[in-house]
Amino acid sequence: MSQSSTTPSKLPSNQFDHFYRGGNRIGALRHGPGGPMRPEEWIGSITTRFGEAEQGLSRLSDGTLLRDAIKNDSDGWLGADHVKNFGLSTEILIKLLDPDQRLPVHYHPNKAFAKTHLGLDHGKTEAWIILEAPAGSGVGLGFAQKQNKEDLLKLVRAQDSAALLASLRRTEVQVGDAVLVPAGVAHAIDAGIFVLELQEPTDLSALLEWEGFAVDGIKDGHLGLGFETVTDALLLDPLTDSEFDSLITHNVFSGGALRSVLPLKSDGYFRAHLAPGSGDFQAGFAVALVLDGSGSISFANAPEMGITKGDAIVIPHSAGAFAFSGANAIVCRPPLAELARVAP
């Protein structure tokens, strides 16, 4: 059976240049190559970079585009129930982020804004699982104080990066933290924080500042809508303390049982479970990233596969139930359909 039918496949590296600098962490984990302007890898992606026809798409180990394999056998890859609920979309985009400089203050539109202004079915709620973090490093998540749109736009036009960074509510992060970033929430990440990111399957980002980055924010920072319009997708009110706390979980790598590693609010957008050396999963489309160790994945309907640290594996529904042995992996899966229907 060819991989374009329904065979689990190890995914080759899928990196390309971006506007911010990358370190060597992706290369070290994924067995190459990384690079100074390659701070991201898109894993198991059927999503293209904004404005591009093919860049961003993942290939199976035989060279077939995963997107094309799914088109050719949607029920085999995704399962009939998934196709009924979501069509040919996997409903998830998974990335490794390795910023060697801080990320700019930016945000993403929600589903309603994306539908109205861009004709798309998804916005970009995302979540970060922290794999490495320098001591004292952190993220900005939402504004610390209520913002006025016109005053904020003045800061954007003036490119007052210091003021925009200072406007965010900051929290330190460490290995094993997971952070849900709802669409509309302004955010930034410090340099050196290595992240496994799950997100809705779009490439929609609006910039508030871009000082020191290889990007023309005036031209490319507003999704082609202009800053006056795209700022309507931005949450100007600060998160309440309870909202802020609900978006962050800690110590997700501790303990020894199969478990979810994201805040509960994530399940309407995407799911991630840690399989710490062993773990059983029901049949369904999934992408697994092996964090450490060596072992295997056994499948009800496919040959057993040897795995080791750094492997990324895409698993079709038709492979049946699957189980891990001997290696620690994060298994990324689509949202729960009943929650996705009501997710904003």
Side-chain angles (χ1 to χ4, degrees):
M1 185 178 292
S2 70
Q3 288 176 344
S4 58
S5 294
T6 52
T7 305
S9 175
K10 292 184 181 180
L11 295 165
S13 178
N14 181 28
Q15 300 175 50
F16 42 90
D17 288 354
H18 285 269
F19 66 86
Y20 64 100
R21 295 192 305 274
N24 61 4
R25 297 167 189 84
I26 292 175
L29 176 63
R30 291 280 287 133
H31 320 303
M37 294 309 291
R38 295 198 164 184
E40 299 186 9
E41 180 176 2
W42 293 22
I43 302 173
S45 169
I46 65 167
T47 301
T48 57
R49 199 172 183 182
F50 188 75
E52 297 287 338
E54 188 170 301
Q55 192 176 67
L57 298 177
S58 292
R59 294 184 181 274
L60 305 177
S61 56
D62 69 354
T64 303
L65 287 172
L66 175 60
R67 181 188 64 183
D68 294 344
I70 290 173
K71 285 180 181 178
N72 290 336
D73 187 359
S74 58
D75 284 0
W77 274 98
L78 303 176
D81 286 345
H82 181 107
V83 174
K84 179 180 177 181
N85 286 309
F86 302 117
L88 299 183
S89 171
T90 62
E91 290 298 287
I92 187 172
L93 175 57
I94 301 131
K95 298 179 181 177
L96 285 168
L97 305 184
D98 178 22
D100 209 35
Q101 65 183 128
R102 69 162 179 87
L103 292 188
V105 181
H106 66 291
Y107 61 99
H108 314 292
N110 65 14
K111 290 179 182 178
F113 186 95
K115 172 68 82 174
T116 299
H117 293 278
L118 298 166
L120 300 175
D121 292 331
H122 300 90
K124 191 181 170 185
T125 288
E126 64 188 28
W128 310 320
I129 301 168
I130 309 300
L131 303 181
E132 295 182 30
S137 61
V139 301
L141 189 63
F143 292 115
Q145 305 291 333
K146 182 176 176 59
Q147 301 295 307
N148 173 276
K149 178 179 175 178
E150 291 308 315
D151 290 342
L152 192 68
L153 284 172
K154 288 178 183 177
L155 294 179
V156 174
R157 295 184 186 109
Q159 276 304 283
D160 191 340
S161 292
L164 287 162
L165 281 166
S167 72
L168 298 180
R169 180 173 178 174
R170 181 178 168 82
T171 187
E172 289 189 9
V173 295
Q174 54 191 326
V175 174
D177 288 347
V179 183
L180 177 64
V181 186
V185 173
H187 56 279
I189 304 176
D190 285 357
I193 297 178
F194 188 28
V195 168
L196 177 64
E197 179 178 272
L198 287 77
Q199 61 168 83
E200 291 183 77
T202 69
D203 183 35
L204 302 177
S205 294
L207 302 178
L208 293 177
E209 55 89 27
W210 49 88
E211 181 182 356
F213 296 93
V215 62
D216 184 349
I218 296 296
K219 175 176 175 286
D220 297 322
H222 45 72
L223 298 172
L225 301 173
F227 287 108
E228 182 74 28
T229 296
V230 82
T231 310
D232 290 337
L234 179 62
L235 180 66
L236 299 176
D237 291 332
L239 299 165
T240 66
D241 288 347
S242 61
E243 286 173 332
F244 189 89
D245 291 343
S246 74
L247 300 178
I248 303 174
T249 55
H250 303 284
N251 301 317
V252 301
F253 297 150
S254 64
L258 176 69
R259 62 200 174 278
S260 174
V261 298
L262 297 178
L264 288 176
K265 293 181 179 181
S266 302
D267 283 358
Y269 299 99
F270 32 68
R271 293 173 291 160
H273 286 77
L274 181 68
S278 63
D280 300 330
F281 292 84
Q282 294 181 340
F285 178 84
V287 175
L289 177 68
V290 182
L291 298 181
D292 58 70
S294 294
S296 62
I297 313 176
S298 58
F299 305 94
N301 303 325
E304 184 171 330
M305 174 185 287
I307 56 174
T308 193
K309 178 180 178 179
D311 284 345
I313 306 98
V314 62
I315 301 169
H317 179 277
S318 66
F322 55 97
F324 287 80
S325 176
N328 296 325
I330 292 182
V331 180
C332 306
R333 295 188 289 169
L336 295 172
E338 62 270 23
L339 296 180
R341 281 192 280 273
V342 297

